[in-house]
């Protein structure tokens, strides 16, 4: 029988099939199980009574020597619950953290290194972590990996997110990337501040959020999908840094508390889609139109606190119902352009102009 034929089975069978035995670290409360002829999986052993303070800060080694051979530490598996570390450093050799591997209620801080690719469900579920900085090398993070985080980033290489991974997060940073991100962001009522650094697949991802207060769109984002933030009742501020951004139809429809939309001079919006800011009743000023190429129908309709609008020389067409039912819009300033401005018959219907 080939000694590697059982390699896909559980750890115990692997050990027998390969003739490799687990061994303990001579200096740290760690135990190693070979998972190949060159690498090991590490677990944390219990600490004798009275010695817990000695291991409050633990550095997991990148390599370990045993019987004259060097082994790479590539995986962390479920550990003894009697161990109570407060801070753990994880080396770049570790590519996977297994289920419930470091779910210690005592754990307050963890330091990841580039090289980690997979965090399994429950890995830090009961840890007392409030924020982490995930490495850009991370590809997958299972649902329930974390339980008490208030701040988390979604690395640039991760392509899918499970909603339960951030169920208590207040500050969510989706790192800049050219890769799209997919996942279920619906029904999350904890995120208050959101940074979007790339395209998020599927529309309506944050529809109806009750917690979001501020959204920032980074420079690498080229599209905000339709309906993305529909009826976010407490959203007050939007910052846009995209350089060729399309804001999808109804993207911010019905965000009744939205007061500020900031688009700096270096940013540029190719299109504000149909109804993108419709019924944003708290929006009082719109000063960004000179950074916009096209405005869709009903884009700013129902913004009842708008009192003055300036149409810059860059915009030469106001389509039907763009400013429909802006009940307090009384002043319209039009800048001269190379071409005459075309204003549709219903562009300002129900406005007291």
């Amino acid at each position: 029988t080939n000694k590697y034929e059982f390699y896909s089975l559980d750890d115990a069978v692997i050990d027998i099939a390969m003739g490799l035995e687990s061994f303990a670290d001579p200096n740290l409360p760690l135990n190693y199980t070979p998972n190949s002829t060159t690498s090991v999986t590490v677990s944390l052993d219990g600490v004798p009574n009275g010695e817990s303070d000695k291991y409050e800060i633990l550095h997991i080694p990148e390599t370990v020597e045993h019987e004259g051979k060097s082994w790479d530490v590539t995986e962390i598996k479920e550990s003894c619950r009697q161990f109570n570390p407060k801070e753990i450093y994880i080396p770049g050799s570790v590519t996977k953290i297994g289920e419930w591997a470091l779910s210690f209620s005592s754990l307050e801080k963890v330091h990841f290194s580039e090289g980690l690719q997979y965090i399994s469900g429950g890995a830090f579920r009961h840890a007392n972590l409030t924020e982490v900085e995930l490495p850009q090398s991370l590809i997958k993070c299972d649902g329930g990996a974390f339980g008490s985080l208030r701040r988390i980033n979604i690395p640039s290489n991760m392509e899918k997110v499970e909603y339960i991974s951030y169920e208590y997060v207040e500050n969510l940073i989706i790192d800049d990337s050219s890769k799209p991100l997919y996942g279920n962001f619906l029904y999350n009522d904890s995120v208050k501040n959101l940074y979007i650094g790339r395209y998020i697949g599927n529309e309506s991802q944050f529809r109806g959020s009750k917690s979001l207060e501020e959204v920032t769109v980074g420079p690498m984002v080229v599209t905000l999908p339709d309906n993305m933030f529909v009826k976010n009742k407490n959203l007050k501020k939007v910052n846009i840094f995209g350089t060729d951004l399309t804001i999808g139809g109804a993207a911010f429809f019905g965000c009744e508390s939205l007061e500020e939309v900031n688009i700096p001079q270096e940013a540029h919006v190719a299109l504000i889609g149909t109804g993108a800011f419709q019924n944003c009743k708290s929006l009082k000023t719109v000063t960004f139109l000179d950074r916009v190429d096209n405005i869709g129908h009903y884009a700013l309709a129902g913004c009842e606190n708008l009192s003055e609008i300036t149409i810059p020389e860059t915009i030469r067409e106001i389509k039907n119902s763009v400013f429909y039912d802006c009940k307090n819009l009384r002043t319209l300033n039009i800048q001269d352009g190379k071409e005459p401005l075309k204003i549709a018959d219903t562009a300002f219907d129900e406005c007291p102009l």
Side-chain angles (χ1 to χ4, degrees), residues 222-226 240 245-252 261 263 269-274 276-277 288:
V222 295
T223 303
L224 283 182
D226 295 349
I240 293 174
L245 178 67
T246 293
I247 301 176
F252 296 94
V261 178
I263 305 177
V269 175
L271 171 67
I272 297 178
T274 299
F277 293 99
F288 53 77

Side-chain angles (χ1 to χ4, degrees), residues 280-317:
C280 292
K281 297 181 179 180
S282 297
L283 193 62
K284 295 180 180 180
T285 59
V286 173
T287 59
F288 53 77
L289 293 182
D290 61 333
R291 274 86 80 193
V292 176
D293 288 341
N294 295 291
I295 307 175
H297 303 287
Y298 292 93
L300 290 156
C303 295
E304 57 186 40
N305 273 301
L306 278 179
S307 59
E308 182 176 352
I309 284 290
T310 296
I311 306 300
E313 60 183 72
T314 53
I315 292 179
R316 294 294 88 189
E317 183 180 10

